[in-house]
Amino acid sequence: MKAFGFERADTPAAAAAAAARTPGAKFIAGGTNLLDLMKLEIETPTHLIDVNGLALDTITPTDDGGLRIGALVRNTDLAADERVRRDYAVLSRALLAGASGQLRNQATTAGNLLQRTRCPYFYDTAQACNKRLPGSGCGALDGYSRQLAVIGGSAQCIATHPSDMVVAMRVLDAVIETVAPDGETRRIALDDFYLAPGTTPQRETVLRPGELITAVVLPPPLGGRHVYRKVRDRASYAFALVSVAAVVQRDGSGRVAIGGVAHKPWRSDAADAEIPRGAKAVAARLFDGATPTDDNRFKLTLAERTIAAALVDTEEARS
């Protein structure tokens, strides 16, 4: 691990300003992903700004009946919150499907949003990776790509986003709140937050230099049946090959978001409209234009079957 400076911020605006004036600075809270990357020298920040002292660790109701989740709310606390379990059950279930109890105790909401990919070529500094070292190539394209993206990728990168939490937040239409170094705040729809890899896979989000996530806002509860299904290689502490977050109403209408298949949670209005027709129709819409590799083509069938299982779960609950 390379040497770095360290400071503690007193306010969100001060944290953002400190990051803006220090090239190579990074925010740190739980550190469950960043510290691993620093040990491997994949991330080499010159300066860390500890944001744990900021008052961003509460869950509060919004004026319209939704919830504002502070950026520093730990995954364990978010999953266990009575309001989340009652009104946003898909989010609680997704969080409990992720990582281990020890990591959930430390990991934060904002940190979960900003997880880096678990692509093996990204983690192996002896391999080519445009996300880690722009212009070096993508070892996954001609290498072993079983875990990687089947849609939304590019000729530069086919990495996937690893978060379970984010898949559930996408199906709930969450909005991210931020503060900039000059104190300006903005709201970003989760679907707009992640950038497609294109020719610049090292740029993963729309965050500007120094911009700090302060909260995630959930709209008023959807009702209906909430289901989260995750298919992985082992029963715990493994990232999704495919995951499905589904919310379905009694009339059969609903929403579906898919994890483990792209650079962000994958969802479309056209696919949601097909829910009454079944999983095959939903999957056909979701994966229209997919470009799987020979190694991960199975994900298309796996996703369709996982969607089918999730929809069966909602039908049983509604019957």
Side-chain angles (χ1 to χ4, degrees):
M1 183 183 292
K2 293 189 175 181
F4 55 88
F6 181 83
E7 68 177 286
R8 290 190 173 94
D10 296 326
T11 67
R21 68 172 176 263
T22 311
K26 290 277 187 179
F27 302 118
I28 188 167
T32 56
N33 188 203
L34 178 58
L35 289 176
D36 284 344
L37 295 173
M38 289 174 65
K39 291 173 184 176
L40 295 169
E41 296 190 3
I42 295 168
E43 292 273 13
T44 55
T46 60
H47 192 70
L48 292 183
I49 302 164
D50 184 352
V51 295
N52 282 296
L54 307 183
L56 300 174
D57 59 352
T58 58
I59 304 170
T60 56
T62 60
D63 292 341
D64 65 355
L67 284 182
R68 176 172 286 102
I69 302 162
L72 296 175
V73 173
R74 263 45 186 185
N75 287 179
T76 294
D77 296 330
L78 182 56
D81 186 88
E82 180 181 356
R83 295 160 294 185
V84 174
R85 293 173 61 196
R86 180 187 65 232
D87 298 328
Y88 305 95
V90 66
L91 176 56
S92 181
R93 290 167 180 156
L95 285 161
L96 293 173
S100 65
Q102 295 94 326
L103 286 173
R104 291 195 298 269
N105 288 344
Q106 188 72 5
T108 64
T109 299
N112 203 310
L113 288 169
L114 296 173
Q115 285 184 79
R116 306 298 303 275
T117 183
R118 265 51 178 198
C119 173
Y121 295 89
F122 174 73
Y123 267 80
D124 185 348
T125 55
Q127 301 292 331
C129 174
N130 289 316
K131 187 179 286 292
R132 174 170 34 79
L133 184 63
S136 63
C138 176
L141 287 171
D142 294 318
Y144 186 61
S145 53
R146 178 175 177 271
Q147 294 174 302
L148 302 177
V150 296
I151 196 166
S154 73
Q156 301 293 318
C157 181
I158 55 170
T160 55
H161 195 277
S163 172
D164 291 287
M165 181 196 80
V166 173
V167 183
M169 286 186 169
R170 177 66 186 97
V171 88
L172 294 169
D173 280 340
V175 173
I176 297 165
E177 295 185 339
T178 69
V179 63
D182 62 1
E184 180 185 356
T185 61
R186 65 170 175 156
R187 291 166 57 88
I188 308 164
L190 183 58
D191 190 41
D192 298 328
F193 184 69
Y194 296 105
L195 295 171
T199 59
T200 55
Q202 72 277 12
R203 293 188 63 235
E204 297 176 349
T205 75
V206 298
L207 289 176
R208 300 162 184 161
E211 194 170 12
L212 174 71
I213 296 173
T214 55
V216 176
V217 178
L218 301 181
L222 287 171
R225 171 63 171 171
H226 291 218
V227 171
Y228 188 76
R229 277 188 167 256
K230 179 177 181 178
V231 181
R232 46 191 163 177
D233 284 326
R234 56 181 184 269
S236 65
Y237 199 49
F239 297 98
L241 291 170
V242 167
S243 62
V244 174
V247 178
V248 181
Q249 309 299 324
R250 285 193 172 274
D251 64 2
S253 63
R255 302 174 180 178
V256 169
I258 310 294
V261 298
H263 62 283
K264 66 177 183 177
W266 204 250
R267 181 184 162 207
S268 80
D269 292 339
D272 289 347
E274 298 289 351
I275 288 175
R277 295 183 56 202
K280 192 174 188 67
V282 172
R285 287 287 191 177
L286 275 172
F287 295 108
D288 183 29
T291 55
T293 66
D294 289 341
D295 289 334
N296 65 22
R297 191 175 304 276
F298 75 94
K299 282 193 177 189
L300 299 178
T301 302
L302 182 61
E304 180 184 324
R305 292 176 179 175
T306 308
I307 293 167
L311 295 182
V312 167
D313 286 348
T314 66
E315 288 173 1
E316 291 174 351
R318 290 182 284 119
S319 61

